[in-house]
Amino acid sequence: MLMAEESRPQDGVCERSDKGFALIDLLFVCGIIGVLSAIAVPRLLSARTSATAASAISTMRTLGTAQLAFALSCGNGYYAPDLPSLAKPPIGSSYGFVASDMGTGPTVEKGGYTIQMTGTSMAGAPDSCNLLGPNNGAQAFRAGADPVDSTNPRFFGTNALGTIYEDTSSLFATMPENAEPPSGHPVH
């Protein structure tokens, strides 16, 4: 740290040199940095929350599109009953209807959210092109995205209707497979 130097002339009077910084100058700069940080940090946290929410909305949209593609092209009009079934590739293909990381289990963590999806298997459902087996296809489905961070108040869900809903509490537990949920509002 450079300090202002004092020169000592012959007559005993001290003169101050302009070389370096005074302690008050450094304290002033630190104070300005502290004020700017106090303003910026909450905005950065808000931006992070918005980014994770956008990721969850995108995942809900992807699941809805993948389920529709599965039902039309592979499930003989029936939806996949869970995430691993939706990620399972059809015969002759290397890719499922969602990325393989989404099919690692019935519940996965992605982008700061816990993602889950279920569909009630239907007796009489035919086998699918990715060999889920007979009686495993679902007539409808529901999916939810719950934040991993307990301070994040944004929960999302979707179902066979294709609308994505948002609420301040988990939608997955009460989300019907083919009707509007009892709480929450559509994301626009």
Side-chain angles (χ1 to χ4, degrees):
M1 180 161 97
L2 296 174
M3 300 298 278
E5 293 181 10
E6 295 180 2
S7 60
R8 302 210 184 264
Q10 296 295 340
D11 60 5
V13 176
C14 292
E15 292 181 18
R16 189 174 173 132
S17 168
D18 288 335
K19 295 179 184 176
F21 300 100
L23 182 60
I24 192 74
D25 295 333
L26 293 175
L27 289 173
F28 181 73
V29 169
C30 289
I32 289 175
I33 290 171
V35 167
L36 292 175
S37 295
I39 292 169
V41 168
R43 292 184 188 268
L44 288 173
L45 292 175
S46 175
R48 181 177 173 258
T49 300
S50 295
T52 58
S55 173
I57 291 169
S58 176
T59 300
M60 292 293 99
R61 188 169 288 118
T62 298
L63 288 176
T65 303
Q67 279 284 37
L68 185 60
F70 178 89
L72 294 175
S73 66
C74 183
N76 298 305
Y78 291 89
Y79 295 103
D82 54 27
L83 289 171
S85 300
L86 197 57
K88 185 177 179 183
I91 299 295
S93 176
S94 301
Y95 304 101
F97 292 89
V98 293
S100 59
D101 66 333
M102 288 292 294
T104 56
T107 301
V108 296
E109 189 175 315
K110 181 176 182 182
Y113 277 80
T114 300
I115 310 296
Q116 47 193 335
M117 184 192 77
T118 61
T120 304
S121 296
M122 177 73 179
D127 197 2
S128 61
C129 69
N130 62 352
L131 303 177
L132 296 181
N135 304 317
N136 284 324
Q139 285 187 318
F141 72 95
R142 64 187 171 124
D146 295 347
V148 173
D149 181 4
S150 61
T151 63
N152 184 348
R154 299 183 74 185
F155 295 77
F156 300 97
T158 190
N159 59 19
L161 297 180
T163 303
I164 299 170
Y165 295 92
E166 177 181 2
D167 201 2
T168 56
S169 61
S170 182
L171 286 164
F172 185 74
T174 60
M175 175 72 73
E177 292 183 356
N178 59 358
E180 290 186 14
S183 65
H185 58 87
V187 173
H188 297 288

